[in-house]
Amino acid sequence: MSRTPFQLLVFLLSICSIVVAEVDVTHDLLPRQSPSANDVNSPICKNYAVVANLSTIALNSTYRAAFLRSSPLGTFPAREILDVQAPKLAAMMMDTQLNRRCGNLSQAAIDGAAANLTAGTVLGLPILDAPGIDPANVAMPIVGIAIFLMFGGTWLAL
């Protein structure tokens, strides 16, 4: 059996890939943050992150309006989601053990909300345009005059 140089090269590379795959590098990996880096994935930290994100949206009128306008649930269910979480944030921000364990997730939520609003999203939803007529539109004075005539005419007819 004659082998071509290309087949030998592929054979050598396959042997090298097996050798590289068997190297155990888990002992060489170090945590990127603090020794409590794994605590961020705990349920209490995830709850703190959810409360911080929803409260940041609930307590800022610009973020809140964008979320209520863009939510597929409708205004009242979306408002209820925000209003339930907002009172919980103050206690979580003042809990030193929670902040030491999870980090300052409220500041991360504030920074993330600002970045998302700049990118055109709020809580993962694309921000929709406000419904209604643009005040600079030609139809706006026509609609205003029609409303004035209907209500004014009714008043004058009495």
Side-chain angles (χ1 to χ4, degrees):
M1 280 192 184
S2 67
R3 304 247 182 223
T4 64
F6 180 72
Q7 288 176 333
L8 290 174
L9 179 66
V10 171
F11 179 69
L12 289 173
L13 288 176
S14 66
I15 291 174
C16 291
S17 67
I18 293 170
V19 171
V20 169
E22 291 183 5
V23 174
D24 185 23
V25 294
T26 56
H27 67 280
D28 294 334
L29 297 177
L30 299 174
R32 293 181 178 219
Q33 299 173 351
S34 64
S36 64
N38 292 331
D39 288 343
V40 176
N41 295 326
S42 69
I44 194 164
C45 292
K46 287 182 180 181
N47 183 38
Y48 182 22
V50 168
V51 169
N53 287 327
L54 291 175
S55 298
T56 299
I57 302 301
L59 298 174
N60 185 313
S61 61
T62 304
Y63 301 152
R64 184 181 182 94
F67 176 72
L68 293 178
R69 184 171 59 231
S70 304
S71 174
L73 301 174
T75 304
F76 292 117
R79 181 185 55 83
E80 187 175 336
I81 291 170
L82 296 176
D83 292 343
V84 167
Q85 301 297 333
K88 299 177 186 177
L89 182 64
M92 289 182 160
M93 286 176 62
M94 297 303 154
D95 189 352
T96 56
Q97 289 180 336
L98 181 65
N99 283 312
R100 190 177 314 118
R101 182 176 180 185
C102 301
N104 191 357
L105 295 179
S106 58
Q107 186 61 41
I110 291 169
D111 296 340
N116 288 342
L117 187 71
T118 304
T121 62
V122 60
L123 287 178
L125 300 171
I127 298 174
L128 303 176
D129 292 333
I133 300 174
D134 183 26
N137 194 340
V138 177
M140 191 66 163
I142 296 170
V143 171
I145 291 169
I147 290 172
F148 177 73
L149 289 176
M150 281 192 315
F151 288 110
T154 305
W155 179 258
L156 290 175
L158 293 176

